[in-house]
Amino acid sequence: MSDLRRSIRFTTTDDGVSIAYWEVGSGPPLVLLHNFGISHSELEWEVPSFASFYTTLAEHHRLIRFDPRGSGLSGRSETLTVDDVILDLEAVVAASGLDRFALFGVATMGPVVIRFSANDPQRITHLVLCEPDVTVASAEEHARYIRGSIALAGSGSGELIASFWTLLAADEDAGPLLELTRIDTRDSEYQLMSNQAVLEWDSAPSLGSVSSPALILFSKDSNITSLDQARQAAATIPDARLTIVDGGWTPYFADRAAVLAALSDFLGWGSPSDSPPIAAGISTVVFTDVVASTEVLDRLGDEAARTTLRSIEDIVAAAAAAQSGRVVKHLGDGSLLDFDSASDALDFARKVQIDLAEGDLQVRIGMAAGEPIREDDDLHGAVVVMASRITDEASPGDVIASDGVRQLVLGKSFEFEDLGERTLKGFDEPLRIWRLQP
């Protein structure tokens, strides 16, 4: 395992926190976030069950693991919110150069990966939740443990806190796990702050906005969270499945064969693509994004809101077909499309905005031109990320295009407003963007 430990790297978040991470294996990228209090990017390789699980994942994936701020080898910050840890995740994803990836969250990392998946759906291929705390304070056993940890941390009893995790472990794991957790919980003052902060974490309002397929794993003898939390996630995420396995804590100490079988089926191990990734040629990649869809869900209720969003998907699909475009996929509250012609993409966008102008919901649209990679009827690559980031710059009712799109339609019947250069996340150089005029 020493070779793997030497691969530990560091990156810095937008708010200046140093984050330790490593990556092993090859294949589709999978980013794994570990539970607080038991995350240490070096020492975890000494725990046999952890090391074995990581090694198996690395046979199928480019596996990326990091210590969230305040744990393991990473730095600390004065606050510890879900958004803070999302900054950690974003920094590691950027440092690893990831476009689209699977996301794997364990226990208290549930709110982080759920919120990230809801906020940035086009980047997540699969979501795995192991015994997730959807709302930490409602996670029964785990919430009681955290409240007990707060009391123990206040008295400086880090050793007692660490021993909790060894109760879940196999005999061969107990010693290394105790050492890992003893080190990760040794600062009682910081632990007191972090435990109090984590109790406030809540991702329940984001569940309905997760559009990627999701697998929720739960063990029958769990001491971590409650089955109600797992059921809530499975019932609310539109494309989710719940798998219950024997044993203790998933994924490490539960029935390993059952856990791996569920992951294999969900992530498609042993089912490689029949065709290799190919360049799609010059294409205009378009994202549509329904504005304030979360508020609509709250106001209308799930069934009525989904009906409304589906009607928007129908409008988008019809407008795309009329301009020889292709709906790559719907994303819950938006869609990804591509067009061989930039003119067709702009005509499509204009038609969608006209059709939705009188409705309750508005859509923002962003697009970029380039050479995406087409694989398994999906699109990948820098131009896809660029189109997504440009969409983030749009206001309700806007159609925003990259300079490349504008250049392709020079001399045609399109007028644009110059919005200047913007520094888009994931791109080193500022990019000029344009608003399509009605």
Side-chain angles (χ1 to χ4, degrees):
M1 297 304 174
S2 59
D3 289 341
L4 294 170
R5 286 203 294 268
R6 282 199 294 270
S7 70
I8 293 173
R9 306 170 188 175
F10 291 85
T11 187
T12 303
T13 65
D14 286 346
D15 61 341
V17 180
S18 176
I19 302 298
Y21 72 102
W22 51 253
E23 57 178 78
V24 294
S26 61
L30 172 64
V31 181
L32 192 154
L33 285 76
H34 214 326
N35 192 73
F36 269 124
I38 196 170
S39 178
H40 195 293
S41 55
E42 181 178 22
L43 294 180
E44 61 196 12
W45 284 101
E46 302 295 340
V47 182
S49 290
F50 287 19
S52 173
F53 185 67
Y54 296 152
T55 300
T56 301
L57 291 181
E59 293 173 359
H60 305 279
H61 294 276
R62 178 187 172 196
L63 177 64
I64 298 166
R65 261 278 298 127
F66 70 91
D67 294 328
R69 62 183 64 199
S71 63
L73 298 177
S74 291
R76 298 173 180 176
S77 61
E78 293 183 359
T79 61
L80 190 63
T81 65
V82 172
D83 289 335
D84 289 335
V85 182
I86 285 177
L87 288 178
D88 304 343
L89 173 56
E90 289 175 337
V92 171
V93 165
S96 300
L98 300 186
D99 171 15
R100 284 169 52 77
F101 52 94
L103 191 55
F104 193 129
V106 179
T108 49
M109 289 297 109
V112 174
V113 298
I114 290 168
R115 185 92 61 84
F116 187 95
S117 299
N119 291 347
D120 214 351
Q122 65 272 16
R123 305 196 68 189
I124 306 303
T125 62
H126 301 79
L127 177 63
V128 179
L129 297 166
C130 281
E131 309 203 8
D133 294 343
V134 173
T135 303
V136 177
S138 300
E140 297 183 4
E141 294 290 341
H142 209 173
R144 281 196 288 271
Y145 158 71
I146 292 173
R147 292 188 178 100
S149 296
I150 290 172
L152 290 172
S155 64
S157 302
E159 188 94 358
L160 292 175
I161 298 169
S163 66
F164 167 84
W165 294 103
T166 65
L167 298 175
L168 306 175
D171 290 343
E172 63 177 353
D173 295 314
L177 187 59
L178 180 61
E179 179 64 17
L180 186 162
T181 53
R182 181 189 292 122
I183 290 175
D184 202 31
T185 58
R186 60 188 168 187
D187 186 336
S188 59
E189 183 176 344
Y190 188 84
Q191 187 189 26
L192 177 62
M193 183 279 288
S194 62
N195 280 328
Q196 290 171 328
V198 169
L199 273 177
E200 301 298 319
W201 288 12
D202 182 10
S203 59
S206 299
L207 286 173
S209 298
V210 174
S211 57
S212 60
L215 170 66
I216 296 96
L217 287 169
F218 189 85
S219 59
K220 293 179 180 177
D221 299 324
S222 173
N223 290 325
I224 299 299
T225 186
S226 65
L227 182 57
D228 286 344
Q229 297 267 299
R231 285 174 175 152
Q232 180 184 10
T236 312
I237 295 174
D239 184 8
R241 65 181 82 168
L242 171 63
T243 298
I244 301 175
V245 299
D246 291 329
W249 182 35
T250 56
Y252 305 106
F253 308 130
D255 183 334
R256 177 61 58 85
V259 169
L260 294 178
L263 290 173
S264 177
D265 179 60
F266 179 64
L267 296 171
W269 296 351
S271 302
S273 171
D274 293 333
S275 58
I278 59 172
I282 294 294
S283 179
T284 300
V285 177
V286 179
F287 279 97
T288 68
D289 180 43
V290 180
V291 180
S293 59
T294 300
E295 288 81 350
V296 171
L297 283 170
D298 292 339
R299 177 166 54 86
L300 298 180
D302 289 347
E303 184 173 349
R306 185 59 221 158
T307 298
T308 301
L309 292 173
R310 192 176 293 114
S311 70
I312 293 176
E313 290 175 358
D314 293 342
I315 290 170
V316 167
Q323 299 298 329
S324 301
R326 180 174 74 97
V327 177
V328 178
K329 59 186 173 183
H330 295 300
L331 300 167
D333 56 358
S335 301
L336 168 63
L337 310 97
D338 75 324
F339 294 80
D340 292 335
S341 161
S343 294
D344 286 344
L346 291 165
D347 284 335
F348 153 81
R350 184 176 280 163
K351 178 70 164 60
V352 168
Q353 297 296 31
I354 290 172
D355 289 347
L356 296 176
E358 303 301 323
D360 293 333
L361 287 174
Q362 290 186 293
V363 169
R364 55 182 182 175
I365 300 175
M367 63 181 70
E371 293 190 46
I373 300 299
R374 182 171 287 123
E375 181 180 14
D376 295 334
D377 293 324
D378 204 350
L379 292 181
H380 310 277
V383 66
V384 179
V385 178
M386 182 184 295
S388 172
R389 298 297 182 233
I390 289 172
T391 306
D392 292 340
E393 298 292 318
S395 297
D398 276 351
V399 177
I400 307 295
S402 69
D403 193 56
V405 172
R406 188 188 70 90
Q407 294 285 348
L408 288 171
V409 298
L410 286 176
K412 300 183 179 179
S413 58
F414 299 102
E415 295 183 1
F416 296 89
E417 176 189 355
D418 186 355
L419 299 182
E421 292 187 336
R422 304 288 175 88
T423 300
L424 304 181
K425 186 173 181 180
F427 295 89
D428 294 332
E429 300 293 330
L431 300 171
R432 187 170 295 277
I433 61 174
W434 303 78
R435 179 187 288 118
L436 177 66
Q437 296 299 290

